[in-house]
Amino acid sequence: MTTYPPEVLLWQALFMFQTHIESRRQFERDKATDAFRANLGIISGNRLEHIAHIDTVNYFMANLNPEELQKVIRKNIRDLIRSKVLDDFRFDGNFLVAVDGVCFATFKHPHCEYCLRRTTDGVTTYFHYALVAMLVSPTGLVLPIEIEFIENTPDKGKTLSEKDDEFKKQDCELKAFYRLVGRLKEKFPRLPVTLLLDGLYANRNVISICDKNNWNYFISLQKDSLPAFQKAVASNLKKHQENTWQHRTEDCCRTFRWTTVLRHDFQKDSQKKCSPQPLLMFAIEETEDFFKTKTKRKFAYITNHRPSRENIMELIHEGARQRWKIENETFNTLKNHGMELQHSYGNKGYGLQNYFLVRFIALSIEQFLTFSNGMIKILSPNTILPSREKGISLFGSLKQMAKRLLESLRNDIIEIIDLSNVRFSIFSG
């Protein structure tokens, strides 16, 4: 029996996602070349006589503790921060960290005792969900920093079919958020953070955590949420009409408004008992009026950044609205651009969680290749391109880059070159 080191099996899983192969069976066919075996050995640092069957990889993924892959994700972001590679992506000295939830597996029948459950019109769906914290930037660069799985605690006294009152007892995104930020502070105690959150997190506990950790935040303020706070905002804006600024272009007029500092008691907006001690914060908003389509859009946020006429546009465009990067640049990429987020590559043991985490490691590598000049310096050192040209320009699209990578792994043995004197750049603009 052949035994394979963990790094060999992990690299096989990574290659499956980096080359955008849609199934384990297809990957088993595509990796069956001598060049692929040699390249896997070179990259993993092992001399290989055989490549592990994909079922062996799947067994490894089913039994690996997901925390081991979380450590890889943290080490990657920690090394980039310590080497100051990401300093140009700071906002007002902080790193923008967007937090959002995503469903990555659904079933018609119970998959495991940790499944979440939702019943609609008498039909129950079983699913797995995760809360993801991503470092985001205006350029589109997104990097995972912490992930928390949202899972039910097994009820040893009942079977899944016998459980009642399911929605009251289930794990949820808000509970997972408290676990995630606790671990984020533990693992990155001195990291300067600005959290980007949706309206679910507009509550006293979340804002108190940010204040305690000396974090900044932008929280989306939804139209019908926090009525007492919204009333205070409207009153403040009416009283301080000087806190308005407009920016016009050919297509649109943008109107920015902001409050002076607000002291709000969240007990007025909550059906649950909470501390009556008021918190200090600001409200900011932007209304876009498009001339051609005669349509309007409004964005409103709670923040502890102090707004002014000089910084209001930057606060909203370069700060608050960057939260959408976690949906557009992260989840959309994983779902629709080759990594098949909601395809189950393996659902035994820890398989679902580990394949989910490996996708994010693969995404980090893809982000480096896309937003840096690394590939240009390695593959085309004599190519004359603009000094800030990104590596993706060599291929034109992520799909073509993945296709070329697979062709190269299958047919060309990697040439080891000295990169000790090569300086790479990740572009911030």
Side-chain angles (χ1 to χ4, degrees):
M1 181 177 70
T2 304
T3 301
Y4 298 94
E7 61 269 20
V8 172
L9 302 174
L10 180 57
W11 270 109
Q12 283 189 238
L14 277 168
F15 283 153
M16 184 165 61
F17 292 118
Q18 287 186 277
T19 55
H20 293 186
I21 293 176
E22 297 180 357
S23 69
R24 289 189 289 127
R25 180 179 297 180
Q26 184 60 47
F27 182 68
E28 183 65 23
R29 296 192 190 102
D30 288 339
K31 69 182 179 60
T33 69
D34 290 338
F36 193 101
R37 174 179 54 79
N39 289 330
L40 178 60
I42 292 170
I43 291 176
S44 67
N46 292 270
R47 186 178 182 87
L48 301 176
E49 295 184 2
H50 306 283
I51 300 179
H53 191 278
I54 193 61
D55 288 347
T56 303
V57 176
N58 197 45
Y59 179 83
F60 168 73
M61 297 293 281
N63 289 277
L64 178 67
N65 187 335
E67 177 60 22
E68 298 304 314
L69 296 179
Q70 293 266 33
K71 291 177 183 178
V72 175
I73 291 172
R74 294 184 199 115
K75 185 179 186 306
N76 174 56
I77 201 77
R78 188 176 287 115
D79 289 347
L80 290 172
I81 291 171
R82 285 178 175 173
S83 61
K84 302 186 183 301
V85 171
L86 302 178
D87 275 3
D88 288 345
F89 297 94
R90 291 178 183 243
F91 175 81
D92 196 24
N94 289 4
F95 291 103
L96 294 174
V97 177
V99 179
D100 204 0
V102 62
C103 176
F104 61 93
T106 58
F107 304 91
K108 294 181 179 179
H109 304 284
H111 159 257
C112 68
E113 56 190 354
Y114 299 97
C115 282
L116 300 173
R117 305 175 298 286
R118 180 188 296 117
T119 301
T120 305
D121 297 330
V123 178
T124 300
T125 301
Y126 302 86
F127 60 98
H128 282 259
Y129 210 81
L131 191 64
V132 181
M134 300 288 295
L135 187 152
V136 301
S137 77
T139 66
L141 176 74
V142 291
L143 294 169
I145 185 169
E146 194 65 52
I147 295 172
E148 176 66 28
F149 290 105
I150 305 174
E151 300 175 328
N152 283 335
T153 301
D155 189 334
K156 301 300 183 182
K158 297 181 181 179
T159 65
L160 285 173
S161 60
E162 294 173 337
K163 289 181 180 178
D164 299 321
D165 229 3
E166 58 184 85
F167 295 107
K168 293 182 181 178
K169 296 181 180 179
Q170 288 197 107
D171 196 7
C172 68
E173 190 171 324
L174 197 55
K175 293 177 184 177
F177 173 81
Y178 298 134
R179 300 195 299 268
L180 183 144
V181 294
R183 199 165 57 250
L184 181 63
K185 185 64 177 178
E186 175 191 350
K187 302 299 181 182
F188 300 89
R190 293 184 293 177
L191 185 69
V193 167
T194 293
L195 288 180
L196 309 180
L197 307 170
D198 65 24
L200 173 68
Y201 302 99
N203 66 60
R204 178 181 181 81
N205 289 339
V206 171
I207 294 174
S208 295
I209 288 172
C210 292
D211 290 344
K212 179 181 178 181
N213 292 339
N214 292 317
W215 292 346
N216 290 117
Y217 57 84
F218 292 100
I219 305 176
S220 297
L221 184 59
Q222 298 173 343
K223 183 178 179 180
D224 299 323
S225 66
L226 304 178
F229 181 74
Q230 299 261 24
K231 184 177 180 179
V233 170
S235 176
N236 188 282
L237 291 175
K238 184 178 181 179
K239 183 178 180 180
H240 297 278
Q241 295 187 25
E242 71 277 8
N243 291 345
T244 302
W245 181 69
Q246 285 191 335
H247 179 261
R248 288 180 174 269
T249 64
E250 292 182 2
D251 303 321
C252 177
C253 176
R254 293 180 171 87
T255 302
F256 300 90
R257 300 197 301 168
W258 60 96
T259 67
T260 57
V261 64
L262 298 170
R263 296 173 60 88
H264 184 63
D265 177 2
F266 275 88
Q267 194 171 20
K268 297 177 181 179
D269 283 309
S270 177
Q271 296 179 352
K272 300 179 180 179
K273 291 184 178 180
C274 62
S275 171
Q277 182 67 31
L279 297 175
L280 303 181
M281 66 201 77
F282 300 89
I284 57 177
E285 65 177 44
E286 174 188 9
T287 302
E288 293 180 330
D289 189 355
F290 295 94
F291 303 137
K292 291 183 179 180
T293 60
K294 296 182 179 180
T295 57
K296 289 186 177 183
R297 295 191 305 179
K298 182 178 178 179
F299 306 92
Y301 305 93
I302 303 170
T303 184
N304 56 355
H305 280 278
R306 182 176 291 275
S308 67
R309 187 177 301 272
E310 289 71 29
N311 70 1
I312 185 63
M313 188 171 182
E314 180 185 11
L315 287 181
I316 292 180
H317 286 193
E318 304 299 316
R321 289 179 63 173
Q322 296 306 311
R323 192 186 74 80
W324 291 105
K325 291 293 193 305
I326 194 171
E327 178 62 43
N328 296 341
E329 310 297 339
T330 304
F331 300 151
N332 182 52
T333 298
L334 293 174
K335 290 176 183 177
N336 303 314
H337 296 281
M339 295 197 193
E340 305 296 328
L341 179 61
Q342 294 179 319
H343 176 73
S344 177
Y345 286 81
N347 55 23
K348 293 183 178 179
Y350 294 118
L352 280 175
Q353 293 92 328
N354 283 329
Y355 280 117
F356 181 79
L357 292 170
V358 168
R359 285 180 176 95
F360 279 88
I361 297 173
L363 177 68
S364 296
I365 297 172
E366 193 172 85
Q367 288 283 296
F368 174 77
L369 298 177
T370 302
F371 286 92
S372 79
N373 61 357
M375 282 195 297
I376 292 176
K377 291 205 171 188
I378 294 171
L379 300 179
S380 302
N382 299 319
T383 299
I384 300 176
L385 289 171
S387 59
R388 296 179 66 80
E389 191 72 23
K390 299 172 184 176
I392 193 67
S393 63
L394 291 174
F395 308 100
S397 68
L398 291 175
K399 181 179 180 180
Q400 288 300 315
M401 184 171 72
K403 180 181 178 181
R404 293 284 297 277
L405 175 60
L406 178 60
E407 291 174 355
S408 181
L409 289 171
R410 282 173 47 82
N411 301 301
D412 306 313
I413 296 178
I414 294 171
E415 178 185 355
I416 300 177
I417 57 178
D418 182 11
L419 300 177
S420 58
N421 295 319
V422 179
R423 292 183 62 83
F424 302 115
S425 299
I426 299 180
F427 302 130
S428 58

